[in-house]
Amino acid sequence: MRRRSKAPSSPLPQRHGIDAVRVRLPEDPGGLWGTVLEYLVARYGGAVGAARVAEMAREGRFVGADGRAVAGDEPYVAGRCLWFHRDFPVEERVPFEVGVVHRDERIVVVDKPHFLATMPRGRHVTETAVARLRRELGLPALQPAHRLDRLTAGLVLFVVRPEDRGAYQTLFRDRAVRKEYEAVAAYDPGLGLPVTRRSRIEKERGTLAAREVPGEPNSESRIELSARLEGGLARYRLVPATGRTHQLRVHMDALGLPILHDPLFPVVREEGAEDFGRPLQLLARRLEFADPFGGELRRFESRLRLSGRA
């Protein structure tokens, strides 16, 4: 098997905790691009506009492996690598901090707050847990081993060194991590709990919410009642055996217990300004796994608490 060559290092430092984009100029058998700018406009003009790409080139935003600016009129050379920082969207700061639960030479386990994305996606780029932690901890190579929904709070495991990331990602891929969540939803005295919900969950591209569909189950969650609360609410313990998109939210809704303050279930609400005072009442409470380096049993528990109020 042919080994993949290591990607060249970026000559640009991170900006706001975000890596520069690397673009490798592809082969051009048809001779479509005579200059670097012609290719860049073809590649990125549809997203940001040809005028903006040309302006970035004039500003010296595209650099070569030596860190020097690449002029747009330079001849096109297939295989050459360029780097640049994209324009970041204007983002409202999530007014909650990321709490460090554990840190050693290999991993950092944190409490991600509600509303903060784990890593860049869509309009959330610098206001993400990974970008914040890289800046605050001085760990530019930090990467998450798994994802946690933006609206869900709780434990996320990050890996300090790139060479260790695969081992921890494999734990999550192979379901070798025991995850436990907590949720607040309505109390239903007629619902027999605990219950294990198995179903097929799919999320179509372009839709906000995943849903249950007929077919072979691809998701499983155990749902237990932990305590009754005031106001007709209850606290639930959720233990997923699989990790489908929106799985716990879908399964709770299917039982007639949509999680408190959920903007997607049972009805998708219109998007608008974030209401930081009404976070989704879902928390990643515990992580437990055998460490891939040495086999030590690791257990982590969130220090966050759900309000439990409507």
Side-chain angles (χ1 to χ4, degrees):
M1 182 182 294
R2 184 178 180 182
R3 298 183 63 181
R4 298 178 64 181
S5 59
K6 184 179 179 181
S9 300
S10 172
L12 294 175
Q14 288 180 343
R15 183 173 164 224
H16 304 303
I18 302 299
D19 292 324
V21 176
R22 180 175 67 90
V23 55
R24 185 178 184 276
L25 305 187
E27 296 296 327
D28 182 24
L32 298 176
W33 309 300
T35 66
V36 170
L37 181 58
E38 288 177 1
Y39 171 75
L40 294 173
V41 167
R43 174 78 179 270
Y44 299 109
V48 302
R52 180 56 188 148
V53 176
E55 184 179 15
M56 291 173 66
R58 288 195 299 270
E59 294 172 347
R61 295 272 297 274
F62 300 98
V63 306
D66 58 3
R68 291 189 294 180
V70 175
D73 60 0
E74 289 189 26
Y76 185 90
V77 178
R80 185 181 186 185
C81 288
L82 309 179
W83 287 261
F84 70 98
H85 280 292
R86 54 180 161 164
D87 294 328
F88 296 144
V90 177
E91 300 178 63
E92 180 181 11
R93 188 180 191 279
V94 175
F96 311 111
E97 302 306 316
V98 182
V100 176
V101 175
H102 172 85
R103 178 179 179 180
D104 61 36
E105 71 279 3
R106 293 188 188 273
I107 62 173
V108 177
V109 180
V110 306
D111 264 330
K112 184 190 77 65
H114 293 105
F115 302 103
L116 189 69
T118 302
M119 59 191 304
R121 185 177 183 184
R123 68 180 188 273
H124 306 286
V125 181
T126 59
E127 269 302 282
T128 55
V130 68
R132 279 198 192 180
L133 288 167
R134 285 172 174 175
R135 299 192 302 263
E136 294 170 3
L137 302 181
L139 296 173
L142 196 71
Q143 289 280 4
H146 62 116
R147 290 177 182 263
L148 190 63
D149 280 352
R150 186 178 70 87
L151 297 183
T152 304
L155 296 175
V156 183
L157 187 153
F158 289 82
V159 184
V160 175
R161 301 183 296 207
E163 61 267 29
D164 295 340
R165 189 184 185 200
Y168 289 99
Q169 284 182 313
T170 298
L171 292 178
F172 288 90
R173 184 199 67 194
D174 293 348
R175 303 177 190 172
V177 179
R178 177 178 172 80
K179 296 182 283 187
E180 183 178 314
Y181 291 71
E182 182 179 295
V184 174
Y187 172 67
D188 182 356
L191 184 62
L193 295 177
V195 65
T196 297
R197 180 83 180 182
R198 299 182 182 89
S199 67
R200 184 166 193 82
I201 295 177
E202 294 183 358
K203 185 179 183 299
E204 298 175 359
R205 187 178 182 86
T207 62
L208 294 176
R211 62 191 179 96
E212 290 187 329
V213 298
E216 184 71 20
N218 61 4
S219 65
E220 178 181 322
S221 307
R222 180 174 174 81
I223 299 162
E224 304 173 2
L225 176 66
S226 295
R228 291 187 60 179
L229 305 173
E230 296 180 356
L233 299 173
R235 196 177 304 275
Y236 296 89
R237 178 173 175 264
L238 314 177
V239 183
T242 55
R244 309 299 298 184
T245 298
H246 298 163
Q247 176 176 315
L248 296 176
R249 297 161 71 180
V250 169
H251 282 168
M252 288 291 284
D253 182 55
L255 293 175
L257 302 172
I259 297 172
L260 193 63
H261 305 325
D262 195 326
L264 298 182
F265 304 95
V267 178
V268 176
R269 301 176 199 162
E270 291 186 11
E271 290 193 63
E274 300 278 20
D275 186 348
F276 294 121
R278 291 169 60 85
L280 174 70
Q281 293 295 284
L282 179 62
L283 173 67
R285 168 69 70 191
R286 293 184 179 88
L287 287 177
E288 181 178 315
F289 57 90
D291 196 283
F293 299 95
E296 176 188 359
L297 183 62
R298 301 277 204 137
R299 295 189 182 96
F300 302 103
E301 183 161 350
S302 173
R303 298 169 184 167
L304 299 176
R305 296 292 180 267
L306 297 177
S307 68
R309 296 192 301 271

